[in-house]
Every structure is written in C-alpha cells, then in structure tokens.
Amino acid sequence: MKNSVQIPFTKLQATGNDFVVIDNRSGILDNLDLSALAPKICDRKFGVGADGLITVQKNDSGEWVMNYKNPDGSDAGMCGNGARCYVRFVQMLHNGNGVEAGSSLKFRVHENLYEAEINGNRIRIRFPLETEAVPISIDGESLLQVYSNTEHIVCPVDEEMLERDEPLTEKGRALRNHEFFAPKGTNVNFLSGSGKDRLRLQTYERGVESLTLACGTGAIASALAWHHLQEQKGGRFEYQVQTRGGTITILFSYEETTQTYTNIYIEGPAEIVFEGIYYL
C-alpha cells in the first residue's frame, strides 16, 4: 500500500446492506490496491466487516466516481444500496455545502452516469437503464433473467421458503456458479409476491457468496420480474420490496410494444454507522 498503513474509513448501511466507504479523491489507492484491500477490510472477524468496499473518487473531468469492490475483491458492476451510501457519504464530506437535502448529485460507475436526489437520509437514484425480463430455463426450472446494470436472475418461491436460509443458500450458490452464467456468474433472487405492487425478497449475492439482508440491484430486478409475472400492462409503477433489512422502493415505466423497462429509480434510507481508522 502506497506510503501508508492507516486508512480512515466510514461505515454506512442501507436497509442492512453495509459498506466500508473510503475517501480516495487523492488517488492514493489504485485499483489493484482496492482489490487486495477489500477481502481484508470487509472480513467480519479480522477486519471492519462489510458487504462491500466503496471508494469516493473524481475523474479527470471533475466528475464524482464510485468504485465498488465485493468482499472477495471482485468488481460488482453496480450496487444500488451501496450507491445510496456513497451519496450519503459525499453529502457528509460537503458538510451540507452544495449537497444538501433536496439537492441532486451526479456520479459515475464505470461508463454509466447516475443521478441521485437527496431527502435527508432517504436517497433516490435514477438508473441509466433500459432492460427486459427474459424467461430462461435452468435444469428444467423456469426463471427470469433481468439485467439491472449487473447480472441477476429471479426465482419465484413460496413465501414460507423465504424463511429457510439453508436451502436458499444452497440453491443460490448452485445457480450463481451454474455453467449457463459462466464466466461471470450471477446474483440470485428469491421472490414471493405479497400484493399487486408488493413483494418479499431474499438475495444470494455474488462476491459476498451468501444471503444478504438486502440487495438494491436485486430489488430492481425482482420488482420488474414481479411485474412481468403478473402480466401487467404498460404505464408508470411504484413497487415496495420487503427485505430482511427493510423496505426498498422501486419506480419504473413499462412499454408494452417493446416489452422494455425504463425510467428506473431506487429509493430508500442510507445511514452512517461509525467512523474509524483501519490499520494494515
């Protein structure tokens, strides 16, 4: 690690999805450093403990940039709950100067530009995304594949199945590593509808390699899948996704003629838990 063994960090959580966030605007940590650091700092016994590592950066154009690493050091693509924590952290960096409640913040994750609306500890993020719910069959089972700026599949299950962590973990691990999704693998969502615009969700997250209390991009994928499964018509929709960590709101539009989902937003809380210094 470049010339330092002390790393200031902030721990944040969004509906139980927790993250270590580091201000890396100085660029002292490069991408290889972060891939090596993530498994250590995210370890719940020997590190801080988290579902992922997020760094706050700026590019040559002065744009805010979010860099996200899974606990195994891999690149997650996009993380909806992590993005809300990222925005909350940037708000804290400014001490309310220019990133106040009611204001907006644009930031990049890879090539995509996201826009967040801030309302206290509740943050709404617009996804630059046009996607579909694609029926697939894996070993004779009918599933849905929904890309939400990262890879997801959705498995409808009975509500009582959502309480059975061991079989969900076993099935999630098998599907996550199935040859159909090679080489990247996929995140696996277990969905049970509880109303026209409400659903319950458990997600097996790739990179975490376990069930998590919530998954933002999984909530998006599952809301769109639930809309598809109900064969609803076109229009503008707002769904409530209940996870073990809390409720996530997903807003989207559906166009019947193209069978595509656009104008996608995720909304929910993001809260600071504590600050500290990590010693390598």
Side-chain angles (χ1 to χ4, degrees):
M1 205 66 63
K2 297 177 180 178
N3 304 322
S4 178
V5 293
Q6 299 182 29
I7 302 175
F9 70 89
T10 302
K11 178 79 172 282
L12 296 97
Q13 65 87 14
T15 50
N17 231 176
D18 60 341
F19 306 93
V20 172
V21 184
I22 296 172
D23 182 359
N24 193 38
R25 286 176 294 171
S26 66
I28 192 170
L29 300 169
D30 64 24
N31 197 53
L32 291 177
D33 289 334
L34 294 172
S35 293
L37 176 61
K40 298 176 181 178
I41 203 167
C42 291
D43 190 289
R44 296 192 183 276
K45 297 295 186 181
F46 297 98
V48 178
D51 291 327
L53 171 64
I54 296 171
T55 54
V56 174
Q57 301 174 192
K58 281 201 169 185
N59 60 20
D60 293 339
S61 300
E63 295 175 309
W64 291 100
V65 175
M66 170 179 148
N67 192 330
Y68 181 86
K69 296 293 182 185
N70 283 316
D72 63 1
S74 62
D75 186 348
M78 179 53 180
C79 178
N81 290 335
R84 298 205 311 278
C85 288
Y86 173 92
V87 172
R88 182 70 181 88
F89 182 82
V90 171
Q91 183 186 32
M92 183 189 73
L93 285 179
H94 278 251
N95 292 319
N97 181 17
V99 193
E100 299 176 347
S103 65
S104 63
L105 175 74
K106 293 182 179 180
F107 62 99
R108 286 200 178 273
V109 182
H110 302 301
E111 72 279 4
N112 291 316
L113 184 64
Y114 296 80
E115 184 168 359
E117 302 169 13
I118 303 165
N119 185 15
N121 73 338
R122 289 193 65 82
I123 295 174
R124 175 183 290 190
I125 296 177
R126 182 182 186 276
F127 270 57
L129 174 66
E130 181 175 312
T131 192
E132 302 173 78
V134 181
I136 60 173
S137 179
I138 303 296
D139 298 332
E141 182 178 6
S142 297
L143 308 173
L144 288 168
Q145 191 169 31
V146 184
Y147 184 75
S148 54
N149 284 347
T150 194
E151 294 78 10
H152 281 274
I153 60 170
V154 180
C155 314
V157 297
D158 293 335
E159 187 173 13
E160 63 180 24
M161 185 67 179
L162 292 180
E163 305 301 327
R164 301 176 62 193
D165 287 3
E166 188 173 338
L168 287 183
T169 299
E170 183 178 344
K171 184 174 181 178
R173 184 180 299 116
L175 286 168
R176 175 261 187 271
N177 292 295
H178 197 282
E179 61 183 2
F180 184 90
F181 306 108
K184 285 187 174 182
T186 187
N187 298 282
V188 184
N189 301 276
F190 300 100
L191 170 159
S192 177
S194 56
K196 183 177 180 181
D197 55 5
R198 300 189 67 86
L199 58 138
R200 292 185 60 200
L201 176 66
Q202 280 250 57
T203 302
Y204 182 95
E205 287 201 50
R206 175 187 60 187
V208 180
E209 306 308 336
S210 182
L211 298 173
T212 56
L213 292 180
C215 176
T217 53
I220 290 174
S222 298
L224 305 189
W226 182 230
H227 175 274
H228 174 88
L229 288 169
Q230 295 182 97
E231 299 181 348
Q232 292 204 40
K233 304 298 184 181
R236 184 69 178 158
F237 300 90
E238 179 177 320
Y239 277 30
Q240 304 299 320
V241 181
Q242 181 67 46
T243 71
R244 286 192 173 176
T247 301
I248 302 171
T249 300
I250 306 297
L251 303 99
F252 59 91
S253 296
Y254 178 65
E255 176 54 57
E256 281 188 87
T257 56
T258 59
Q259 297 185 346
T260 56
Y261 294 93
T262 58
N263 298 317
I264 298 168
Y265 292 79
I266 181 172
E267 180 181 326
E271 298 177 341
I272 297 167
V273 181
F274 62 87
E275 298 176 298
I277 297 175
Y278 179 73
Y279 293 86
L280 285 171

